[in-house]
Structure formats: C-alpha cells, structure tokens
Amino acid sequence: GCMKRLMVLLLALAPFAATAADPCEGYWKSIDEQGKVTAYWKIWQEGSELKGTIIKVPGQDDATLCSACREGLKNKPIIGTVWLYGFKRDGKIWAKGKIVDSGKGDIYWASITSAENGNAIDMRGSIDRWGLAGRTQRWKKANDAELKGIVKK
C-alpha cells in the first residue's frame, strides 16, 4: 500500500541524508541574557567554513552602518555583511571562528555547537581562541512567521 511505498522512498533517500545541511546552518535569532532577540541571522557552510550574516536587527533601520567597526569593516552595512567567519569543524563543534559585535566593532573568538536537537545553537564568544574567557548565548531557530518579510523567498 501507500505506507510501504513511502518506506521504500525514505530508504532510497537515506544515503542523501548524510550530505544534508549541517544542523548549525539555517536562520537563527540571537538572544541576550535578558531573553531579548538582538538580531536575526543566516548561517551557512561555504566550503569547509561556517559563515553567518545578520538579516535583521529588531527596531533598527536596515540601512544602518557599522560605524564602530574598524579597518575593513568600518561603515559596512549591518545587514548582509559577514559577521561570523573562519569556523572549522572540530568533531561536533564549529571552532576557532570569529564573531564581530556589529554594535561595538569588537571581534571575538567563537565556537558554535548544535543544541536542543537542532532547534538551537550555543554561540560561545571569548577573548581567547580556546574559549576559556568568554560567555555562551543560546540562539534559537527563527520560525517562518518571524522570517516572513525578512527573508526574500
């Protein structure tokens, strides 16, 4: 019957599951210690590197520039500039990446770990590459309702 055909189809597709998107890829909302959404992010894999950009900052004009940023990032648009870069897979962790605080212009070492069965990521930012002196934020997956009007489908 129908169920059996579905099982055959699922088994046929199983080999492709291994090449599916990494659980850290997708759309996320960064949340501060007070539980407030600070930004919406898109994270993707490019070659062997994980990268991320801000797609929306609640209550901020989309044309806002990073005036606090230094050197090559000075006055780059907050929306669309790559603020997460250099992450390389190390077991279950994307490690030794950088995150730029687009509000203050500071650059931190960072690592990203999938959490809550793919419904969240732990973003650890630190002043040292080993992640000893830093803090971790739990970012949540952004849902379709939140992404409506942000993501150009």
Side-chain angles (χ1 to χ4, degrees):
C2 191
M3 211 47 211
K4 189 173 177 191
R5 267 201 305 258
L6 183 65
M7 288 306 294
V8 170
L9 181 66
L10 288 175
L11 287 172
L13 291 173
F16 298 106
T19 57
D22 186 274
C24 293
E25 287 185 89
Y27 293 99
W28 304 95
K29 48 189 174 185
S30 51
I31 299 168
D32 67 13
E33 283 67 24
Q34 284 73 48
K36 183 171 151 272
V37 175
T38 54
Y40 290 92
W41 294 77
K42 178 185 181 191
I43 295 179
W44 71 96
Q45 193 173 334
E46 201 172 295
S48 61
E49 184 183 352
L50 204 65
K51 294 183 173 183
T53 185
I54 293 174
I55 57 171
K56 181 78 185 164
V57 177
Q60 180 178 284
D61 187 327
D62 286 354
T64 302
L65 303 178
C66 186
S67 53
C69 285
R70 294 180 284 279
E71 289 147 31
L73 292 170
K74 179 120 184 103
N75 292 327
K76 285 269 199 247
I78 303 270
I79 307 295
T81 298
V82 174
W83 302 114
L84 295 172
Y85 57 89
F87 292 85
K88 298 286 188 200
R89 183 172 267 306
D90 182 5
K92 284 184 156 60
I93 301 173
W94 285 94
K96 294 188 173 53
K98 295 279 176 58
I99 183 169
V100 181
D101 178 339
S102 61
K104 300 191 185 85
D106 297 324
I107 302 174
Y108 299 98
W109 287 96
S111 65
I112 302 173
T113 313
S114 179
E116 295 179 23
N117 295 322
N119 291 310
I121 52 175
D122 285 336
M123 173 68 65
R124 178 150 185 89
S126 57
I127 53 175
D128 63 292
R129 69 161 61 175
W130 300 279
L132 300 174
R135 63 196 175 113
T136 302
Q137 283 184 344
R138 176 150 292 185
W139 293 10
K140 301 283 188 180
K141 200 174 246 335
N143 63 45
D144 291 343
E146 291 169 315
L147 296 172
K148 202 171 151 63
I150 301 177
V151 179
K152 316 290 181 276
K153 290 271 198 267

